[in-house]
Amino acid sequence: MRTRALHVAFVNNMPDGAFADTEAQFEALLGIGAPGVPDVEVLRYASEERRAAAGVDPAVRARYAPVAEMFPTRPDGVVVTGCEPGAGGVRDEPLWPLLTRILDWAPQATGSLWLACLAAHAALAHYEGLERRPLPAKLSGVLRQSVAAGHPLTRGLPGEVAIPHSRLNEVPAGALVVAGYRLALASERTGWTVATAERGDCLVVAVQGHPEYRPDTLLREYRRDVRRWLAGEREVYPALPEGYLDAEGERRLAAFRRRAESGRRTPELAGELPFAAEAARL
C-alpha cells in the first residue's frame, strides 16, 4: 500500500507564451486531484534561461527550481517537454546540451521517463543514433491511432483512439522497431505516436503526439502561424489542422484565407481571424 505521493519531476522547456499553459496541460494529464488517481506531487524545473525569461510571469517562475537541483534527486517519474524546433538537426537545437544531460541522468535516477516531441527526438538521437527527418509539410490535427493490444500503457483503451499531433519532423517507425522499441500507438498517417523501451530499470516513453493538448491548443497554434504568415515570417500559409474543426469552421477559416491571400498582407489583419467564434465551437 502506497504511503506517500508519487514524486514527478516536470522539466518545462516551452517558450514564454506557452510556459504556464503547458504546465497546466501536463498536470491535467497526470490526473492531479482527480478521483481514484494516486496523489502526485509535481516538482517543477526549468533551465536558467527559461526561469529568467521576461515573458514568464514571476508567480509562475517562483514555482520552478533550476534543473541543476533535479539531478541529486530520485523522483518516481520524469516528464520533459519539448519546444518548437528551431534548427535543421536535433543536435543543433539550443536545448540539446540540457536534454542530453537529463537523458544521461534519468536511467539511473527514475523508473519512468516521459519525453514529449522534440525531447523524444533528442532521446532517439542520443540513445540510438536515430536522426529525425523533416516532414514534407507540418503535421497538425486530431488523428486516429491504432492501439497496440497487450502494451501496458494501452490497457483498457479501445482499438482506436484520436490524438492531437503538431510537428515538423519525424523518426521513422521502422527504425524504432529495429532499435527495440515497442509501438503503443501508431497509424499510417502519423507514423508512431507513443513508443517505449527500457534502459536499465527505467521505462523510456517517447511521444510524438500531444495527448496533453487542450481543445483550443491546435487552434491557437494555427492562429500563431497565420500571424507569422501575415507578418512575412513564413512563406506558406498554414494548412488547417486535420480532423479538428467542423465543416462550418473549415469554411469560415478558408474564407479568411482567401481574403488574406487576395488582399494586402498586413499583420493587422490577424485581428479579424474568427478565432473566438471557432474556439467556442470546438
Side-chain angles (χ1 to χ4, degrees):
M1 181 177 179
R2 179 169 294 278
T3 58
R4 65 168 177 83
L6 289 167
H7 293 164
V8 176
F10 173 64
V11 183
N12 193 343
N13 295 307
M14 292 298 285
D16 301 8
F19 192 84
D21 195 44
T22 299
E23 174 191 306
Q25 289 174 5
F26 273 98
E27 290 195 359
L29 199 67
L30 288 166
I32 304 296
V37 175
D39 289 338
V40 177
E41 181 180 349
V42 178
L43 312 169
R44 304 174 186 86
Y45 300 96
S47 69
E48 291 293 354
E49 292 79 7
R50 287 287 86 230
R51 294 177 70 248
V56 176
D57 188 294
V60 174
R61 185 184 304 123
R63 298 199 290 268
Y64 283 79
V67 171
E69 294 184 11
M70 177 179 70
F71 295 122
T73 70
R74 293 293 182 268
D76 297 301
V78 178
V79 174
V80 185
T81 80
C83 68
E84 188 178 9
V90 71
R91 299 173 191 273
D92 299 320
E93 294 285 354
L95 276 179
W96 177 256
L98 174 66
L99 292 175
T100 54
R101 189 177 177 194
I102 294 171
L103 293 168
D104 287 338
W105 161 82
Q108 292 77 42
T110 186
S112 180
L113 175 63
W114 170 293
L115 300 158
C117 213
L118 188 150
H121 291 166
L124 295 171
H126 187 59
Y127 288 154
E128 318 297 346
L130 300 177
E131 301 295 336
R132 74 184 186 190
R133 64 186 185 188
L135 293 167
K138 181 178 180 178
L139 181 67
S140 176
V142 181
L143 303 165
R144 296 194 176 279
Q145 313 288 305
S146 295
V147 175
H151 194 291
L153 293 187
T154 63
R155 188 176 297 124
L157 291 180
E160 187 178 78
V161 296
I163 298 288
H165 276 255
S166 177
R167 54 189 167 86
L168 298 165
N169 302 284
E170 70 168 358
V171 176
L176 264 71
V177 173
V178 170
Y181 283 72
R182 294 180 65 188
L183 306 186
L185 298 175
S187 76
E188 289 187 9
R189 177 70 184 96
T190 66
W192 63 277
T193 296
V194 179
T196 63
E198 294 182 0
R199 294 190 70 84
D201 294 329
C202 178
L203 180 68
V204 176
V205 183
V207 185
Q208 273 196 142
H210 288 281
E212 79 278 7
Y213 272 12
R214 289 176 169 170
D216 68 348
T217 303
L218 287 173
L219 188 60
R220 290 179 181 276
E221 290 187 355
Y222 178 77
R223 179 178 62 176
R224 177 201 66 197
D225 290 345
V226 170
R227 285 172 170 169
R228 289 175 177 175
W229 182 84
L230 289 169
E233 297 172 4
R234 57 177 291 159
E235 296 181 5
V236 179
Y237 196 98
L240 286 172
E242 301 176 38
Y244 183 55
L245 301 169
D246 62 14
E248 179 60 26
E250 291 187 351
R251 280 195 294 270
R252 289 185 185 185
L253 290 177
F256 178 87
R257 175 176 181 170
R258 289 193 296 272
R259 178 185 169 197
E261 290 181 324
S262 64
R264 185 165 172 261
R265 189 169 162 182
T266 65
E268 291 74 22
L269 189 59
E272 299 180 34
L273 184 77
F275 172 82
E278 296 311 319
R281 293 160 50 84
L282 290 173

